[in-house]
Amino acid sequence: MVSTLRGQGPLASSPNKAERAAWAASSTFVDLTWPDLGAARYTVYRDGVRIGGTKGDSIRDSAVTPGTEAAYTISAETEGGTGHTWRLNATMPTDGRPATLAATARQIEAKAKRYSKTTVVWRSFIRQKWATVPKKLGSVSGCKYTSGYKYSGDNRGYSKKITGPGFRAGVRGVIHWNESSYDLYPQTGWTKVYKAKTGKFVAKRKASTKKIDFRAMTKHNGKTRSVRGTVKATDPFCPKYGPRRAGIGVTFDMRVARNGDFYATGKYRQAPDHELYVFGHKGKKHSTKVVHRSKSSSLLCLSQPMCERGTINNHGSY
């Protein structure tokens, strides 16, 4: 019997079957397994180089070097051209002695404790310096300032800053890996109205943050956590309820791992511009990963009946 190390993807315990994968390694081979999602074929890469493919849900890589680490990617190929991808880092022991396996296992566990906290940031912003309410939307929205008025935008592009750039509405959530608590920071920016022709200032208000939320959906275990973010913010000069309500609407779910892996899904109204980031903190330094960015097709999409909702679907490492 060959002695092996066994490891799982950081999301292997996820309630979502599609996120689970695992590996087992000796000094001479690595076995990879993953859930069969019914794909036509699964292609496997080691350190970015294709090493094989299969119609099944496992593969053995015998071309490994003892005492090294390899980054594997398993890609599910479907008829529609989109599928799922798993990423696993497998460590090969230098030999099969129990003492060697135990020491290598301790090293793997230490590497899994990569970050002290993880920050998730969603921001919805108006790219332009000025914005006007589309006539089609203004006639049915019930908003106070439509024809003859303009709104100041955020006048910026995408930004990887954790805090600072202007936006209409957003949420920042922080997961602490050494404790069960997590932090929620809901925010909205000033909505400022001006006369369209003269540029004369008319009024300013902030949208309510009551429907902006970030929460952990699973219990603290120090390794992985599922979170949900919600951003619902109505133009403060428009009706807050009813079918005519126009505003920002976002819901996203993420499963983040302490070692830096993540999986994200969600839906959003396709206006205004949106950005979603995840940051991993180690001391005063942090990593940054762009999870989602989308540019507004039309401010008409602030009204849900006007446009289909956009989708978020991303995974990888941060």
Side-chain angles (χ1 to χ4, degrees), residues 11 14-15 21 33 55 64 88 104 123 160 165 174 186 190 219 226 235 245 249 256 259 275 289 295 297 299 311 314:
L11 306 183
S14 169
T33 61
K55 294 182 180 180
V64 300
L88 299 170
T104 307
R123 288 186 291 257
K160 292 183 180 180
V174 183
W190 285 106
K219 293 183 178 180
S226 292
D235 185 318
R245 187 188 77 84
V256 291
N259 79 336
E275 55 189 5
K289 175 67 178 183
K295 193 172 181 179
S297 55
L299 290 180
T311 59
N314 198 359

Side-chain angles (χ1 to χ4, degrees), residues 1 5 32-33 51 71 74 82 84 87 98-99 124 130 161 163 192 207 236-237 242 250 257 265 273 292 294 303:
M1 179 178 178
L5 281 171
L32 302 168
T33 61
I51 62 171
I74 305 143
T82 60
H84 194 87
R87 292 179 174 84
S124 298
W130 300 102
K161 292 181 179 179
T163 61
K192 298 179 181 179
F237 297 105
V250 179
T265 59
D273 291 49
H292 173 80
S294 57
S303 177

Side-chain angles (χ1 to χ4, degrees), residues 142-222:
C143 297
K144 187 174 182 179
Y145 300 107
T146 55
S147 178
Y149 297 92
K150 62 181 180 180
Y151 291 75
S152 61
D154 297 296
N155 194 29
R156 71 171 180 89
Y158 300 120
S159 171
K160 292 183 180 180
K161 292 181 179 179
I162 297 179
T163 61
F167 56 94
R168 301 298 84 213
V171 65
R172 176 164 49 97
V174 183
I175 294 295
H176 300 276
W177 294 112
N178 295 318
E179 55 188 79
S180 60
S181 65
Y182 59 91
D183 301 323
L184 159 67
Y185 301 96
Q187 288 182 287
T188 55
W190 285 106
T191 298
K192 298 179 181 179
V193 187
Y194 298 80
K195 286 283 189 179
K197 289 185 177 181
T198 64
K200 182 181 178 181
F201 173 75
V202 176
K204 70 174 184 178
R205 288 182 189 173
K206 277 192 174 184
S208 171
T209 61
K210 289 183 179 180
K211 293 187 177 181
I212 299 177
D213 190 30
F214 177 90
R215 63 182 62 192
M217 307 302 290
T218 54
K219 293 183 178 180
H220 168 74
N221 64 11

Side-chain angles (χ1 to χ4, degrees), residues 8-311:
Q8 296 179 322
L11 306 183
S13 61
S14 169
N16 184 348
K17 176 185 175 182
E19 297 175 5
R20 305 171 195 164
W23 59 269
S26 74
S27 58
T28 58
F29 66 81
V30 172
D31 284 336
L32 302 168
T33 61
W34 54 88
D36 187 357
L37 303 183
R41 188 172 183 82
Y42 299 91
T43 304
V44 181
Y45 302 83
R46 183 203 325 115
D47 297 327
V49 178
R50 185 183 184 278
I51 62 171
T54 177
K55 294 182 180 180
D57 58 2
S58 65
I59 198 169
R60 171 169 286 191
D61 179 14
S62 299
V64 300
T65 303
T68 62
E69 182 177 288
Y72 289 95
T73 302
I74 305 143
S75 178
E77 302 171 9
T78 62
E79 293 182 0
T82 60
H84 194 87
T85 300
W86 297 270
R87 292 179 174 84
L88 299 170
N89 291 325
T91 301
M92 283 64 73
T94 55
D95 57 63
R97 292 178 300 170
T100 302
L101 296 179
T104 307
R106 288 194 295 270
Q107 294 173 4
I108 294 172
E109 181 66 20
K111 286 183 178 180
K113 297 178 179 178
R114 184 175 180 180
Y115 296 122
S116 59
K117 63 180 181 180
T118 296
T119 299
V120 178
V121 175
W122 177 282
R123 288 186 291 257
S124 298
F125 62 97
I126 296 176
R127 179 179 298 267
Q128 302 90 336
K129 185 176 181 179
W130 300 102
T132 57
V133 177
K135 290 182 179 180
K136 188 175 180 180
L137 180 60
S139 61
V140 298
S141 67
C143 297
K144 187 174 182 179
Y145 300 107
T146 55
S147 178
Y149 297 92
K150 62 181 180 180
Y151 291 75
S152 61
D154 297 296
N155 194 29
R156 71 171 180 89
Y158 300 120
S159 171
K160 292 183 180 180
K161 292 181 179 179
I162 297 179
T163 61
F167 56 94
R168 301 298 84 213
V171 65
R172 176 164 49 97
V174 183
I175 294 295
H176 300 276
W177 294 112
N178 295 318
E179 55 188 79
S180 60
S181 65
Y182 59 91
D183 301 323
L184 159 67
Y185 301 96
Q187 288 182 287
T188 55
W190 285 106
T191 298
K192 298 179 181 179
V193 187
Y194 298 80
K195 286 283 189 179
K197 289 185 177 181
T198 64
K200 182 181 178 181
F201 173 75
V202 176
K204 70 174 184 178
R205 288 182 189 173
K206 277 192 174 184
S208 171
T209 61
K210 289 183 179 180
K211 293 187 177 181
I212 299 177
D213 190 30
F214 177 90
R215 63 182 62 192
M217 307 302 290
T218 54
K219 293 183 178 180
H220 168 74
N221 64 11
K223 296 180 180 180
T224 65
R225 206 150 195 194
S226 292
V227 300
R228 174 170 294 169
T230 305
V231 180
K232 294 183 179 179
T234 303
D235 185 318
F237 297 105
C238 298
K240 296 181 180 180
Y241 306 100
R244 296 191 301 174
R245 187 188 77 84
I248 296 166
V250 179
T251 300
F252 63 87
D253 290 284
M254 294 185 68
R255 190 162 178 88
V256 291
R258 186 173 186 176
N259 79 336
D261 283 3
F262 76 92
Y263 187 88
T265 59
K267 295 279 189 178
Y268 62 94
R269 291 188 184 180
Q270 297 192 60
D273 291 49
H274 305 294
E275 55 189 5
L276 174 62
Y277 304 96
V278 59
F279 304 89
H281 301 267
K282 182 183 286 187
K284 295 183 178 180
K285 296 182 179 181
H286 68 263
S287 67
T288 305
K289 175 67 178 183
V290 178
V291 179
H292 173 80
R293 284 174 170 174
S294 57
K295 193 172 181 179
S296 173
S297 55
S298 169
L299 290 180
L300 280 171
C301 296
L302 288 169
S303 177
Q304 186 170 332
M306 298 291 188
C307 308
E308 291 186 7
R309 299 181 74 192
T311 59

